[in-house]
Amino acid sequence: MTGQIWAPPAPAGHHPTPGAVDTGAAPRATPRSTGGVADIDEAVEFLELFHAENPQAGPAAPRVAWVRAEVELTGTYRHTSAELTHGARVAWRNSARCVGRLYWRSMRVRDLRSVRAPAEVARQCARHLRLATNGGRIRPLITVFAQDAPGRPAPRIWNEQLIRYAGHPADEHGRVTGDPRYAGFTAAVTAMGWRPPAEPGPFDVLPLVISGPDGHARLFSLPPDAVTEVALTHPEYPWFADLGLRWHAVPAISSMRLRVGGVDYPAAPFNGWYLGTEIGARNLADHDRYDLLPALAERLGLDTSREASLWRDRALVELNIAVLHSYAAAGVTISDHHTEAARFMMHLEQEAKAGRKCPADWSWVVPPMSGSQTPLFHRYYDTDHLRPEFIADEHATATALHGTPPPLPGQADGGPPLWSYLRGTRSPVGG
């Protein structure tokens, strides 16, 4: 896998206003940049949680003492493989916007913290997709690359998901070919040197953009065998196949920062499997995405002259039927919103039995169609913020939607006494 190098321009001190990120974490005030210095209070909180939920690891006190000393000496600490695995899984468990958390314990964790070079990150992202696809039996998976550390920024993956489709420049009628959500990102990667197909289409896979500690971005095209797509057909309407619609099999989120015990892992792509409405009621139906409902309504012969005919609702149902039917026919894992709602209710019960709160954002866990027909609609949820977590901050959003270079962590202010002294930022006596 080869990549093109692109050096970002000097920062102009302004980022475009970010749009909503279709991910699994609730908005919050994100921890400020500390130059990779670990937050010792978060570290202690996580280690106590880890040892409480993993009694076989023994008492927490010796490990806490070790980590305190490590942070004092180096400014950060390194999780054990068991801690990293549990932290990543609990971050999924705590994701307030995700309805598919029943299987949080089953997430496979690939510990690739030694990987920093953009080319190897890209190669392992392709490997992640192959492993997650699993011949169509999608498996929950996370690949964790290097952590931010004092003086050693981690790699950054610019893309919102590992697989996303380009939004090519609008025609004279203002219509974008492809996904309008990524029109800005497409323009940015084109300026970096990416060459779109000679005849741009609606489902052209964008390249990965990955930057290393120097901030220089490199572009990598995903190998074809890493991108499994499903052609969409309908069980009752043969003409549906003529529309040429398709979607990718694995929803691998790649722009969110994994934060475990006060340590940041900016590059940690992860996936579950698709909920049908994510594709059929959002990606392909939203007005600012593929906006397919008017065209489908016309093919279905629906009365679009008045909203009271509910043509949008009828077209939306048929589109979602097509998505679920097509994935099932292709042998690719997907779930419908009624089944997933029942599973989430099971998850809530399990968390309550374990004595844990389960944060949930009502506006995200309730499906975007037939919400009142699911049990999720008719109740309130805990909204407490829990850690470990996945974070989508405004910088990650701007990068994923507009190709704005992500900021690297700045220099830490002060830091632990011994570490600061060794770094030359504090005198040995009197602080």
Side-chain angles (χ1 to χ4, degrees), residues 108-182:
R108 291 182 54 182
V109 179
R110 300 177 71 217
D111 184 353
L112 296 183
R113 286 175 289 171
S114 62
V115 175
R116 290 180 175 270
E120 182 62 13
V121 171
R123 190 178 77 83
Q124 291 297 339
C125 285
R127 175 71 173 157
H128 176 114
L129 290 170
R130 296 186 190 100
L131 291 171
T133 302
N134 191 32
R137 298 181 62 185
I138 309 300
R139 55 171 62 131
L141 183 67
I142 184 170
T143 298
V144 183
F145 295 107
Q147 70 186 66
D148 270 338
R152 283 195 89 192
R156 263 74 175 160
I157 301 171
W158 295 29
N159 308 61
E160 190 171 44
Q161 292 195 24
L162 294 182
I163 304 172
R164 273 303 192 228
Y165 298 117
H168 299 290
D171 60 20
E172 64 273 15
H173 303 292
R175 292 189 294 261
V176 171
T177 298
D179 194 339
R181 179 174 178 82
Y182 301 104

Side-chain angles (χ1 to χ4, degrees), residues 91-332:
W92 185 15
R93 187 178 81 193
N94 291 339
S95 296
R97 290 184 175 182
C98 179
V99 74
R101 287 176 271 168
L102 177 62
Y103 304 103
W104 66 272
R105 292 182 183 85
S106 69
M107 175 185 274
R108 291 182 54 182
V109 179
R110 300 177 71 217
D111 184 353
L112 296 183
R113 286 175 289 171
S114 62
V115 175
R116 290 180 175 270
E120 182 62 13
V121 171
R123 190 178 77 83
Q124 291 297 339
C125 285
R127 175 71 173 157
H128 176 114
L129 290 170
R130 296 186 190 100
L131 291 171
T133 302
N134 191 32
R137 298 181 62 185
I138 309 300
R139 55 171 62 131
L141 183 67
I142 184 170
T143 298
V144 183
F145 295 107
Q147 70 186 66
D148 270 338
R152 283 195 89 192
R156 263 74 175 160
I157 301 171
W158 295 29
N159 308 61
E160 190 171 44
Q161 292 195 24
L162 294 182
I163 304 172
R164 273 303 192 228
Y165 298 117
H168 299 290
D171 60 20
E172 64 273 15
H173 303 292
R175 292 189 294 261
V176 171
T177 298
D179 194 339
R181 179 174 178 82
Y182 301 104
F185 191 84
T186 302
V189 297
T190 301
M192 294 179 197
W194 181 60
R195 294 185 178 181
E199 295 185 8
F203 302 104
D204 296 327
V205 177
L206 285 162
L208 295 180
V209 184
I210 301 170
S211 55
D214 59 2
H216 290 188
R218 297 183 67 185
L219 275 61
F220 301 89
S221 296
L222 283 168
D225 71 327
V227 182
T228 296
E229 295 176 294
V230 176
L232 301 188
T233 61
H234 194 284
E236 298 178 28
Y237 303 114
W239 53 259
F240 198 98
D242 298 333
L243 299 175
L245 303 177
R246 63 179 187 265
W247 205 256
H248 54 92
V250 179
I253 298 170
S254 51
S255 63
M256 298 183 74
R257 174 169 36 118
L258 171 63
R259 187 172 176 89
V260 177
V263 174
D264 285 332
Y265 300 94
F270 65 96
N271 70 274
W273 51 76
Y274 265 120
L275 185 64
T277 51
E278 292 181 278
I279 303 170
R282 298 300 312 275
N283 297 338
L284 295 177
D286 278 358
H287 181 70
D288 58 351
R289 300 294 297 281
Y290 281 80
D291 194 23
L292 291 177
L293 296 187
L296 286 178
E298 182 179 354
R299 293 296 297 265
L300 290 165
L302 302 178
D303 177 10
T304 60
S305 66
R306 56 194 181 92
E307 296 296 343
S309 70
L310 301 185
W311 64 268
R312 298 182 193 276
D313 308 72
R314 296 169 67 185
L316 187 67
V317 168
E318 298 301 338
L319 179 54
N320 279 270
I321 288 174
V323 169
L324 294 172
H325 164 77
S326 302
Y327 275 66
V332 174

